[in-house]
Amino acid sequence: MSLPVPRRTVLRGAVLLGAAAGVGALTQIGSGPGARAAATRVDQPTIANCATWGARPPSSPVSVVASRPNKIIVHHTAFPNTTDYSLAQAYRNSRDIQNLHMDSNGWLDSGQHFTNSRGGYLTEGRHGSLYALLHGQTMVQGAHCVGQNSQAIGIENDGIYVNVQPPQALWNSLVTFCAFTCQQYGIAPTEIYGHKDFNDTQCPGLLHDRLPELRRTVAARLGG
Ligand SMILES: [Zn+2]
């Protein structure tokens, strides 16, 4: 189920996050007994929100799904593998993706919920995704995987990994992101997939071969 939210609701979330982003201040936001118990295990990683990396506003209000996602889907951007591992490049990459999704695909905003750079920097994708993640009860409807956009959190990993492995920094931040997201939403680590599990695509390349390793590592991080 999805329902539109008034723009002011989305903006209010963005303002709240503006105060918290980048400082790792909000560590325990999940609610319910399970979320509270788990919240002590994986600290909130730094995830730059849309305002921080200079996102454009959505062309129309994002929709919020009034339930928790049940899985994570891993993507690669298929952009060339940059050797610029800086934070500035992570922000630039987030803007490039948003421009592509809005101007070429005609979407209202970035399609993915979150983005991971080759330098290991995490950023918010579609507006409202970080606010939802920190509260752990809802998700923003995405546009990253046909048939899964109202139930799967999509993480875009910058680069193309058909023939080469991702940098260690990207892998490490992917593990951290997945562990924190599993914790916040109560997603089992076994419910981490690749785009090609659902759509006809090569995405996310060799990262798909490493999903068993990713699931094991995330499970260990969660203490299970
Ligand atoms: Zn993909």
Side-chain angles (χ1 to χ4, degrees):
M1 180 179 77
S2 70
L3 35 128
V5 291
R7 179 174 290 267
R8 59 186 168 83
T9 303
V10 174
L11 290 176
R12 183 163 54 84
V15 169
L16 285 172
L17 286 169
V23 297
L26 299 178
T27 306
Q28 298 186 19
I29 303 285
S31 62
R36 273 200 302 278
T40 58
R41 294 178 183 155
V42 183
D43 289 342
Q44 178 193 337
T46 297
I47 303 175
N49 68 5
C50 286
T52 301
W53 57 261
R56 296 154 61 183
S59 60
S60 61
V62 301
S63 294
V64 174
V65 181
S67 58
R68 291 173 130 188
N70 58 18
K71 65 177 74 68
I72 297 170
I73 295 180
V74 175
H75 300 264
H76 67 183
T77 61
F79 287 177
N81 288 326
T82 180
T83 54
D84 183 346
Y85 304 110
S86 68
L87 179 62
Q89 170 59 24
Y91 291 179
R92 193 157 45 238
N93 179 56
S94 295
R95 294 192 295 270
D96 287 346
I97 295 171
Q98 189 192 31
N99 288 335
L100 179 71
H101 287 179
M102 293 181 74
D103 299 336
S104 298
N105 297 7
W107 297 345
L108 61 91
D109 195 357
S110 302
Q112 80 284 7
H113 296 96
F114 296 96
T115 314
N116 187 17
S117 82
R118 284 171 55 81
Y121 293 105
L122 295 164
T123 55
E124 183 179 31
R126 181 159 290 196
H127 285 78
S129 298
L130 183 56
Y131 181 85
L133 175 66
L134 296 181
H135 288 78
Q137 299 301 316
T138 64
M139 64 173 286
V140 167
Q141 178 155 2
H144 62 92
C145 181
V146 175
Q148 294 294 322
N149 289 312
S150 297
Q151 53 189 304
I153 294 297
I155 171 102
E156 281 282 1
N157 295 278
D158 186 34
I160 182 161
Y161 303 111
V162 174
N163 298 312
V164 296
Q165 290 287 343
Q168 189 64 38
L170 181 147
W171 176 260
N172 291 345
S173 55
L174 177 61
V175 169
T176 299
F177 170 81
C178 288
F180 183 70
T181 300
C182 283
Q183 168 183 282
Q184 291 299 103
Y185 283 130
I187 297 171
T190 50
E191 297 304 300
I192 302 173
Y193 297 95
H195 190 180
K196 68 191 293 185
D197 292 323
F198 301 97
N199 296 164
D200 183 16
T201 174
Q202 65 183 7
C203 174
L206 295 176
L207 276 170
H208 190 270
D209 299 351
R210 295 180 69 179
L211 287 175
E213 176 188 356
L214 180 60
R215 294 172 187 136
R216 279 196 308 273
T217 310
V218 168
R221 190 75 66 86
L222 289 166

